[in-house]
Amino acid sequence: MKVSVIGCGYVGLVTAACLAELGHEVIGYDDDPGKQAALEAGRLPLFEPHLEELAARHRRSGRLRFRREAAEAYGAAEVLFICVNTPPLPTGDADLSALGRVARYIVAYAPPATLVVTKSTVPVRTTPALAARLASERPDNPFQVASNPEFLREGTAVRDFLHPYRIVLGVSSKTAEKKLRAVYQPLLERPFHCPLHQPCTEPPPPVVVTDAVTAELIKHAANSFLALKISYANALADLCDLCGADVEKVVEAMGLDPRIGPQFLRPGLGFGGFCLPKDVQAFYRLAERSGYDFSLLWEVDRINQQRVTRFLDKARELVGGLGGKTIAVLGLSFKPDTDDIRFAPSLAVLEGLLREGARVRASDPQAMEKTRSLFPGVAYTRDPYQAALGADCLLLLTEWEEFLHLDWSRMGQAMKRHLVVDGRNCLDPAVLKASGFTYRAMGRPG
Ligand code: UDX
């Protein structure tokens, strides 16, 4: 099928490359000229595992092209996926101005009977509102409009696309359902020739077919529930600190109950990134506008916002004041395997450390460049042992694989004082203790 993907951020690029992998002819379009120029020159503006090789393969196969002419991108599509940004406004509501621009281009260029699909996370009822707008501005053109929310995690987005837990189709007609099923058909067949691990033995994903409003709500409900689980674990961590209990054992035992499950119960610095924080707020606002007081979500957000304060309190207490001290920071991205620092707890940690007069030396496998432009006063080094040189204390903010296997006796030689605060509860307290470190974590006895 001829597919256009509008918006070439994380979601759009992964969607475009994976749809090309499924055999479709894909055009990617973004109205940011810098991004478009990079894409046309064969460069990806972001890091995501497997994306580069997949995109390169399908540029070569000719199934993935990037175009800067809106007429070309919008004018050729049988199915048009909207993957534009919906960032938060100061009120917490989603900013839908990019979606408005897309609507204008659809009206101007899209051919008759294009299936328009919202993939970006949008407030409930956005898809029907878009359908109504297109119908009123182009009464001659019977656009189909559907919602097909994405559930991609950064760092595993290609895998999540090719092996989804479910595919949600929010449609208002059998024609739209049939077209969308055809888009995803290769994922539903067995054998599926997965480029990541052949042969694929997993059963095909379930397809949930519903209306667009319900599909939009599913996305918000799922993300907010994940955030709720994390905040629950973090509230338990604070309680464990007060009671002298070990939160890691608490969540391990809880997660063994299949009704609860172990995932998204990891306590620490809380959830960051461009999805969970903004989605929780947007869902809260949506509920409020719809007449439902979803204060449970308010609490989820409040607990999350307290994480950095709690963490800095621990560091300050352990070091004996942060002013004038040298602090090594390991991990800047909001989670491992991504260079994304949007709403990363690291930003608030750096801000707090600098505000209190600490000298900061930071290391991260992917996110140093992006952080440097926001915090030029921090010393950056790729080598974690260099970052630790002369440090009074080491703060671990992101659980990158390489930080889990550090040589702590080497770290001990590099550092001035042997103090560690682990914001992700990912280090082994026994190993640190054996290497002469004083170790603090979140809800775990030192
Ligand atoms: C999320 C959703 O998982 C995905 O389905 C949706 O489409 C987009 O939003 P993402 O933002 O990439 O994906 O990250 P995710 O893996 O969900 O992690 C979000 C944040 O929660 C990270 O900061 C992570 O460190 C934190 N987290 C996650 C915890 O603090 N504890 C956990 O147990 C799990």
Side-chain angles (χ1 to χ4, degrees):
M1 296 174 91
K2 288 188 192 317
V3 176
S4 287
V5 175
I6 309 301
C8 291
Y10 282 95
V11 173
L13 283 175
V14 171
T15 301
C18 290
L19 288 176
E21 176 67 27
L22 299 189
H24 303 298
E25 278 179 46
V26 183
I27 294 184
Y29 172 85
D30 197 296
D31 55 15
D32 174 338
K35 201 180 266 181
Q36 191 55 253
L39 289 167
E40 281 186 348
R43 290 193 308 276
L44 291 185
L46 50 91
F47 166 76
E48 180 64 35
H50 305 295
L51 184 58
E52 197 155 352
E53 67 240 39
L54 215 58
R57 168 143 32 112
H58 292 297
R59 280 172 193 281
R60 287 196 299 275
S61 75
R63 292 213 296 265
L64 177 61
R65 294 173 297 148
F66 294 98
R67 290 289 176 265
R68 66 174 75 191
E69 292 305 323
E72 211 178 332
Y74 283 80
E78 288 169 70
V79 183
L80 188 136
F81 283 97
I82 304 176
C83 301
V84 294
N85 240 344
T86 52
L89 290 166
T91 55
D93 286 307
D95 178 353
L96 297 180
S97 51
L99 190 75
R101 280 197 301 280
V102 174
R104 284 199 293 280
Y105 280 133
I106 294 173
V107 167
Y109 300 121
T114 301
L115 173 61
V116 175
V117 186
T118 52
K119 212 173 224 325
S120 311
T121 302
V122 289
V124 173
R125 289 191 292 271
T126 300
T127 304
L130 176 66
R133 174 173 173 180
L134 297 179
S136 87
E137 293 185 23
R138 281 290 300 274
D140 57 311
N141 192 339
F143 292 115
Q144 301 271 345
V145 184
S147 162
N148 169 223
E150 53 84 18
F151 299 98
L152 308 176
R153 286 164 293 189
E154 288 181 26
T156 55
V158 171
R159 195 188 186 289
D160 290 343
F161 191 100
L162 297 171
H163 301 275
Y165 296 128
R166 72 297 213 190
I167 294 173
V168 175
L169 308 181
V171 290
S172 55
S173 73
K174 277 279 166 207
T175 325
E177 179 187 339
K178 221 170 127 192
K179 242 184 190 175
L180 270 175
R181 278 187 186 272
V183 168
Y184 289 109
Q185 191 51 37
L187 292 183
L188 305 173
E189 282 166 5
R190 289 298 177 265
F192 164 52
H193 297 289
C194 173
L196 303 182
H197 51 84
Q198 298 240 25
C200 170
T201 49
E202 294 168 19
V207 179
V208 178
V209 181
T210 181
D211 57 83
V213 171
T214 308
E216 291 169 336
L217 202 125
I218 289 169
K219 172 65 201 252
H220 275 296
N223 268 8
S224 293
F225 190 76
L226 294 174
L228 181 142
K229 270 189 102 174
I230 298 168
S231 277
Y232 191 81
N234 283 326
L236 291 177
D238 287 352
L239 184 58
C240 284
D241 271 339
L242 294 170
C243 301
D246 182 351
V247 75
E248 287 302 318
K249 288 290 170 203
V250 175
V251 294
E252 180 192 335
M254 282 174 64
L256 289 170
D257 182 335
R259 293 170 303 173
I260 298 173
Q263 294 192 42
F264 279 72
L265 272 183
R266 284 195 330 272
L269 274 164
F271 54 83
F274 203 57
C275 290
L276 296 196
K278 81 175 168 74
D279 288 358
V280 169
Q281 287 183 11
F283 201 26
Y284 175 80
R285 294 278 298 148
L286 175 105
E288 193 180 41
R289 278 201 313 277
S290 310
Y292 182 75
D293 176 12
F294 214 154
S295 46
L296 178 65
L297 295 182
W298 192 253
E299 232 356 67
V300 167
D301 187 44
R302 191 190 63 82
I303 292 168
N304 199 51
Q305 303 232 10
Q306 284 175 346
R307 303 318 296 154
V308 169
T309 312
R310 292 254 184 287
F311 179 76
L312 285 174
D313 287 348
K314 280 175 191 276
R316 193 182 305 106
E317 192 194 316
L318 184 64
V319 183
L322 295 165
K325 305 288 174 18
T326 300
I327 306 295
V329 166
L330 298 192
L332 298 167
S333 56
F334 82 97
K335 66 174 193 178
D337 297 321
T338 174
D339 63 350
D340 197 349
I341 56 166
R342 291 174 298 175
F343 297 95
S346 66
L347 305 183
V349 171
L350 292 184
E351 205 177 293
L353 291 173
L354 295 173
R355 195 178 44 237
E356 294 190 35
R359 282 185 297 275
V360 184
R361 300 169 62 81
S363 181
D364 186 283
Q366 294 288 344
M368 289 196 298
E369 282 322 304
K370 287 187 174 166
T371 316
R372 196 192 301 273
S373 55
L374 296 179
F375 293 96
V378 168
Y380 296 90
T381 162
R382 177 64 190 82
D383 178 2
Y385 300 96
Q386 278 292 322
L389 213 57
D392 291 278
C393 180
L394 183 145
L395 306 181
L396 195 136
L397 308 190
T398 316
E399 67 277 33
W400 283 93
E401 182 71 24
E402 69 172 65
F403 299 151
L404 309 184
H405 309 290
L406 292 168
D407 175 346
W408 286 101
S409 60
R410 199 174 148 202
M411 272 292 176
Q413 284 158 18
M415 290 174 67
K416 188 160 101 192
R417 294 166 71 195
H418 294 173
L419 307 175
V420 170
V421 188
D422 177 359
R424 297 293 176 179
N425 289 6
C426 63
L427 302 173
D428 184 342
V431 170
L432 275 122
K433 213 169 167 189
S435 307
F437 279 87
T438 304
Y439 174 78
R440 295 279 182 276
M442 309 296 275
R444 233 176 171 188

